[in-house]
Each structure stands twice: as structure tokens, then as C-alpha cells.
Amino acid sequence: MNRKDDHIRYALAQPQKESPFSAIRLSYEALPSFNVNDINTDVSIFGTTFPYPIFINAMTGGSKNAKKINERLAMLANAFNLPMALGSASTLFENPEMVETFSIVKTVNPEGFLIANLGAHHPIENVEKVIQILQPDAFEYHLNVAQELAMPEGDRHFASWSKNIQIAAKTLKIPFIVKEVGFGMNEHTMKRLHQWGVQYINVGGKGGTNFAWIENQRRTVPLQGLDDVGYSTPESLLRGKAITPLTLIASGGIQTPMEVVKSLVLGAKMVGMSRYFLRLVTENSHEDAVALLQTFIEEIKAIMVTLNVNTIDKLPEVDYHIEGGLWIR
Ligand code: FNR
């Protein structure tokens, strides 16, 4: 079976552990100053304003099934004006005929904000080629060391990644993001990225889809220690939030409106979800998915009322406390 299809299958099957966000408690206002209609969820990022602080995080492309999923994701992106990241375009270098499995997103949603994605081992020439083919509005390199190490056919060479990132940060004319795929980042990595000129970091923390676990399902002898490496999403945000003027994007294990709001309180400007959207489109008709996402957004607004906050940019001022100390599972 195609590796992309394996990833989709195992991502949906992965048992979910307790969310690291449950250790974060937000304040509660019994006497709010705002009505639900006063709540504005607009967010400005990548030089554009979007109506909601959520986006479809990188997933797929490169198989027939991936094309169908991308089509459904693009329909949702179109209905809500959500930015959408594509899965790694790496496959296009070996199978150029797979381009439609990605470009379907632009066919369905020509005005939508699109992010193209490649692993950081790809040199700038490959990045430029992908930008030329897919015409995205932003580009992101993904960092996935733990996944590569767990993957039998994975990469074992990581030393070139830093140089590729530095070159991309200097060269690219569109917004450039560096993202993890679910193992998080510490402040030293984020500071280095910032010094190299990277403005957008998607912390991609632990707590949701775990690609070491997924690759271990594909191995005869699993490397189970790798399932446990990394930083949770809240911990990554807390480690990175003092690095200004870096723009932090939250992702990894975010599946509820409360987890979206907690991510914004902890300093994220925008919140990406993969598994949530994958389930939404694979388990529901488009009409039902729209209704469920509408309710999800209504709940974000409801939570903002309980925090007495009427705009997204005021969320980082909300009081919170962390149960059980600073270091979160
Ligand atoms: C992913 N993810 C991913 N990330 C990336 O940068 N490039 C990719 O090609 C993929 N492929 C991919 C396939 C599938 C099926 C899933 C579910 C995820 C990782 C994704 O962007 C995200 O970092 C993790 O999934 C953690 O977020 P969630 O799933 O816990 O919201």
C-alpha cells in the first residue's frame, strides 16, 4: 500500500491519550461585558486577514485517496475562508503525474490561501520548483527527525537542514514557515530559526498524531522509545512565546474549541489541526462537516465570552494557571 495511504489509515486509528492541554486552566468571568454578537474572531497573519483563528494543517497528496481528501478539505476551506496547507510535495519529484492530487485544492478553492510543504532536506531549487508548480501563497519546510528515524526507509542525514532553512529564509518572496510534525520544539531551536530570519514557526507539538507511533506500526520491530520523544504543544508554546517578534502557530493534538482558545492564550497567533479535519471530512458528508465546524466556531466565541475577551489579539492577556508545574506531559 502507498505510504501516504498508510499515514491516513494509521492517523485515524491511533489511540488518543489524555490531552496535555487539560493541565491548563483558564480564568472565568461570571459577569462578562460582551454579548456573543460582540465577539470578533478575525485574525491577521501572512499579510492577510482571516475570519477564524484556525487552519487546515499539512496532511496529504500523492494518491487517489489523498486527492479525494484534499478535495473535501478544500471545500471546507472554501466554505469558511480557512488557510490550508498541503501535504509534502516530495512525491512530485518521482511521480509528476500526481500533481492533480495537490492542484485539486486550487481547482475547488481558487481564491483560498494555500501553503505548500516539503521536508527540510530539499534544497532551494526543489522549493522553487514546487512553488512554480503549485503556486501557493506561502511555503513551509517540515522538520520530522523522529519520524524519519522511526521509518524503515527514512532519512538518516540531517546536517543539511539548517543550511536549507537559512537559504529559504533569505530567498523566498512569499511567507515562509518552519513546522514540526508532532514532536514540538524547544526555545533554542526557535531562537536559531528566528536569528536566521524565519518569521513563522508552527511548533507542531506532541499530544496528537504521533508519526513515530505511525511509522512503528509499519515496522516489524518497533522503536518504541521514539513514540515518547518531544515537547507537547502547550510546552512548546510556553518555551517560544518570549521570542519576539516571532509569530508562533500552534498545532499538534488540537481537536476542540477549548484547545484552540488555550493555544491562543499561550501565545499562538493561529491554530492548525490535522486529525480533527481528517476525521471531519472522512466521517461526514460535506453538509454535516460544515454544520459541525460552524458549531466548533460558535463554541470558540462562547468560550471567549466566558473569558471576557472580544477579540483574538486580547487572548494572550487572559489569566491561566498550569496544574502540576511548568513541564507538561
Ligand atoms: C500529517 N502531517 C504532515 N506534516 C507535514 O508537514 N507534511 C506532511 O506531508 C504531513 N502528512 C501528514 C499526513 C497525515 C495523514 C496526518 C494526520 C498528518 C503532520 C501534521 O501536519 C501535524 O503536524 C500532525 O498531524 C499533528 O497534528 P494533529 O494531527 O495532532 O492535529
Side-chain angles (χ1 to χ4, degrees):
M1 193 188 238
N2 178 307
R3 186 164 86 216
K4 303 289 165 186
D5 291 338
D6 273 356
H7 286 169
I8 293 164
R9 192 159 54 93
Y10 288 124
L12 288 168
Q14 188 197 324
Q16 298 295 291
K17 294 188 180 157
E18 191 198 337
S19 164
F21 284 93
S22 59
I24 314 263
R25 309 293 308 167
L26 301 182
S27 70
Y28 169 71
E29 177 55 69
L31 205 54
S33 329
F34 304 111
N35 304 321
V36 170
N37 284 345
D38 299 328
I39 307 297
N40 180 339
T41 53
D42 283 1
V43 66
S44 294
I45 187 168
F46 310 133
T48 310
T49 299
F50 300 100
Y52 309 111
I54 56 175
F55 73 101
I56 301 172
N57 206 15
M59 271 184 281
T60 203
S63 74
K64 231 167 114 185
N65 188 28
K67 181 179 174 185
K68 261 194 237 145
I69 290 173
N70 273 342
E71 181 177 19
R72 286 289 309 277
L73 291 170
M75 285 163 70
L76 267 192
N78 182 45
F80 289 87
N81 191 8
L82 307 178
M84 172 173 170
L86 296 164
S88 173
S90 205
T91 177
L92 293 181
F93 294 101
E94 296 115 52
N95 306 298
E97 75 284 359
M98 284 292 171
V99 68
E100 268 185 26
T101 68
F102 296 91
S103 61
I104 180 80
V105 168
K106 258 201 182 302
T107 312
V108 172
N109 185 21
E111 304 300 321
F113 192 95
L114 192 64
I115 305 168
N117 177 300
L118 276 178
H121 61 284
H122 283 276
I124 192 74
E125 299 75 47
N126 291 9
V127 173
E128 283 169 344
K129 183 144 193 233
V130 161
I131 292 176
Q132 191 202 339
I133 298 171
L134 298 176
Q135 297 285 308
D137 302 284
F139 172 81
E140 66 189 7
Y141 265 143
H142 68 251
L143 311 181
N144 66 337
V145 173
Q147 176 187 8
E148 294 292 342
L149 291 169
M151 204 191 302
E153 70 275 32
D155 203 348
R156 299 292 180 265
H157 306 90
F158 307 110
S160 67
W161 293 16
S162 296
K163 199 172 122 250
N164 291 337
I165 292 170
Q166 290 173 63
I167 295 172
K170 285 205 186 76
T171 315
L172 294 182
K173 303 276 184 288
I174 55 177
F176 171 49
I177 308 155
V178 175
K179 82 177 278 278
E180 238 294 345
V181 302
F183 302 96
M185 285 189 217
N186 65 37
E187 61 278 27
H188 308 295
T189 311
M190 290 190 255
K191 265 187 203 145
R192 268 197 293 159
L193 291 169
H194 182 48
Q195 278 159 5
W196 296 340
V198 176
Q199 191 192 337
Y200 302 101
I201 293 184
N202 179 340
V203 298
K206 203 169 84 169
T209 305
N210 181 331
F211 267 89
W213 182 90
I214 289 177
E215 298 300 345
N216 272 330
Q217 307 311 300
R218 303 174 61 238
R219 290 183 73 100
T220 352
V221 182
L223 306 182
Q224 265 156 356
L226 290 174
D227 289 7
D228 211 31
V229 303
Y231 304 99
S232 74
T233 301
E235 183 176 341
S236 302
L237 291 171
L238 288 166
R239 283 174 176 266
K241 71 186 237 175
I243 310 168
T244 49
L246 196 59
T247 303
L248 288 184
I249 298 167
S251 74
I254 299 163
Q255 306 205 51
T256 67
M258 183 53 103
E259 288 161 356
V260 168
V261 174
K262 285 179 177 175
S263 298
L264 298 165
V265 169
L266 295 184
K269 181 89 183 170
M270 188 75 166
V271 180
M273 296 181 283
S274 293
R275 188 172 194 271
Y276 168 80
F277 282 113
L278 183 61
R279 290 192 59 197
L280 199 59
V281 300
T282 53
E283 296 173 6
N284 299 286
S285 67
H286 177 64
E287 291 67 30
D288 289 351
V290 166
L292 287 164
L293 189 54
Q294 193 61 53
T295 309
F296 190 103
I297 287 163
E298 292 312 316
E299 192 175 344
I300 292 179
K301 291 184 183 174
I303 294 167
M304 288 173 69
V305 171
T306 72
L307 299 173
N308 204 27
V309 166
N310 64 338
T311 57
I312 298 290
D313 58 358
K314 288 195 202 128
L315 282 170
E317 292 160 27
V318 165
D319 267 355
Y320 63 88
H321 86 267
I322 301 166
E323 288 172 351
L326 179 64
W327 307 122
I328 310 156
R329 271 166 295 130

